[in-house]
Amino acid sequence: MPETWVNLAERMGSDLHVDLSGPGSRRAVLIRALRNAVREGWLTPGTLLPPYRSLAADLGLARNTVADAYAELIAEGWLTARQGSGTRVAERAAPPRPVRKPKPAPARPATPTHNLRQGAPETASFPRTAWLAAARRALIAAPDEAFGPGDPRGRIELRRALGDYLTRARGVRVDPERIVVCSGFAHALRLLFGGSPGAGAGPLRGPFAVESYGLRFHSEILEGAGVRTVPLSLDEQGARVAELAGQPRVRGVLLTPAHQFPTGGPLHPSRRASVIDWARTGDGLIIEDDYDGEFRYDRVPVGAVQGLDPERVVYLGSVSKSLSPAVRIGWMVLPRHLVDGVLAAKGGREAWVSVPDQLTLADFIASGQYDRHIRRMRQRYRRRRDQLVTALAERAPHITATGIAAGLHAVLRLPPGTEASAVKAASWQGIALDGLAAFRHPQATMPAGDGLVIGYSTPPEHAYGAAIEALLRAVPPSDAPSEGPAE
């Protein structure tokens, strides 16, 4: 028997593999293979088969063998043959399928009308025209070697552009050799602590301190890598980093110093200096999550903690808030001693970010389009924040919005014991949002009070006013009864 699998694409115009294995004569095997191809739907009704002479040559069979196989399948009704139109699969009815009663669909909540969850920019504002122009320029200028195996750090064009931008805009002290491009903050954590599919273990170990309120999945990544997390309590000056002194086994701390997530506010200057001293004295490490540092409104820019000691701080950023979470590009600015370990954890090229996207972002930054987009969105988000604050002041003055000097979200401080009912009332109004309790570390001992975390960047522009109206109907009145602390 010739090859077990034969490709008929050249003769038929589409891919089809005919299985010629199994017992029996060559004629019987071919009949069985073609019959199965029709039965399983690989050959659909009306499909033109190759002339028997061509198929015989392709399969290494005698012409009479193929001709006899065609004749038998025509007689059985599997194929039809007409003068001048060739041999085709017959237009035969599919065998009846047993009727099954559909299972009742599980009850699902209605899709929310208004999305006020934090974490995403306004998607309609993605700079499509400027991005497309940057992609065209970048691809035209790219050297041929850019499309082959590359540097696991990321394209040098992007690392240079990021180095210039981060130094200028965020006060980061960096050179391109210490930047590693990744697909976002979660990917960066997995590279540092382990957990990336197909890659090695990360260079960091625990226990690690985290802020008592934050994105839960960040702590889950650490815990999934076997790293115990220890919560640091918060106040109006940010994380209480002095508590690190009482945790001698803690190896490092994960902070959001420019704009604490989700409670808002920068880490106080004295605490920034204090946490650097702690890292130097105890050979500790700081991971700085600069998730929305470009967006500030009523205060002078707060530079990165990394600028105080580049060898004690891992600086992490991405374009998920500034551009779009669909552009899967982030970056790590690493102390020198961590670079090799992170690259080893990164592993095979499957975990690398698309080179065309890297080249496009590099051009987008270097051409000044990134700065222009940030300035435009900063103005838009500030107007949205002001609209929210004004509406609260006029119609719900007992509700205070905090954390509003920067970022893409605000915290609405509620009367004690009303958070759970407010989240439920928002759902009844068709609003998707979260209460503060959703971001509390399970071991946190100092609750931050009741509140709603409102992402004012998420709704489309035309729907934002209606979203605020619905929100105002959901917030508790000034005389709302307490239902106990939110958990």
Side-chain angles (χ1 to χ4, degrees), residues 11 53 127 173 189 224 256 330 380 403 438:
R11 299 295 182 184
R53 293 180 180 85
R173 293 162 58 189
L189 284 186
T256 53
R380 174 169 296 186

Side-chain angles (χ1 to χ4, degrees), residues 291-305:
Y291 67 99
D292 66 357
E294 296 93 345
F295 297 107
R296 74 276 180 185
Y297 312 116
D298 303 323
R299 70 180 193 208
V300 297
V302 178
V305 170

Side-chain angles (χ1 to χ4, degrees), residues 273-294:
S274 177
V275 74
I276 290 292
D277 290 342
W278 167 84
R280 289 172 176 170
T281 302
D283 193 27
L285 189 74
I286 303 162
I287 298 179
E288 179 174 10
D289 179 7
D290 195 22
Y291 67 99
D292 66 357
E294 296 93 345

Side-chain angles (χ1 to χ4, degrees), residues 100-146:
R100 296 180 180 179
K101 294 183 179 180
K103 295 181 180 179
R108 295 181 180 179
T111 302
T113 305
H114 307 291
N115 185 2
L116 289 176
R117 285 203 166 100
Q118 58 72 39
E122 185 198 15
T123 55
S125 296
F126 184 81
R128 304 183 192 207
T129 301
W131 185 261
L132 181 61
R136 184 179 295 111
R137 290 191 302 267
L139 292 178
I140 290 173
D144 292 343
E145 55 86 15

Side-chain angles (χ1 to χ4, degrees), residues 191-267:
L191 292 176
L192 288 166
F193 292 94
S196 292
L204 299 186
R205 298 292 180 269
F208 235 75
V210 297
E211 294 163 330
S212 59
Y213 282 74
L215 285 173
R216 181 60 188 147
F217 84 91
H218 290 170
S219 296
E220 289 172 349
I221 290 174
L222 272 62
E223 292 161 3
V227 177
R228 183 172 66 90
T229 60
V230 177
L232 298 179
S233 56
L234 300 168
D235 59 22
E236 66 279 0
Q237 295 184 349
R240 295 184 171 182
V241 296
E243 295 176 2
L244 291 168
Q247 300 285 346
R249 298 187 62 188
V250 165
R251 305 286 297 275
V253 57
L254 170 59
L255 298 172
T256 53
H259 187 227
Q260 201 287 320
F261 181 86
T263 62
L267 187 65

Side-chain angles (χ1 to χ4, degrees), residues 153-174:
R153 289 176 174 83
R155 285 299 302 176
I156 185 61
E157 296 91 339
L158 178 56
R159 290 186 285 121
R160 286 172 178 163
L162 284 172
D164 292 343
Y165 173 78
L166 295 174
T167 299
R168 168 173 53 83
R170 304 298 301 129
V172 175
R173 293 162 58 189
V174 62

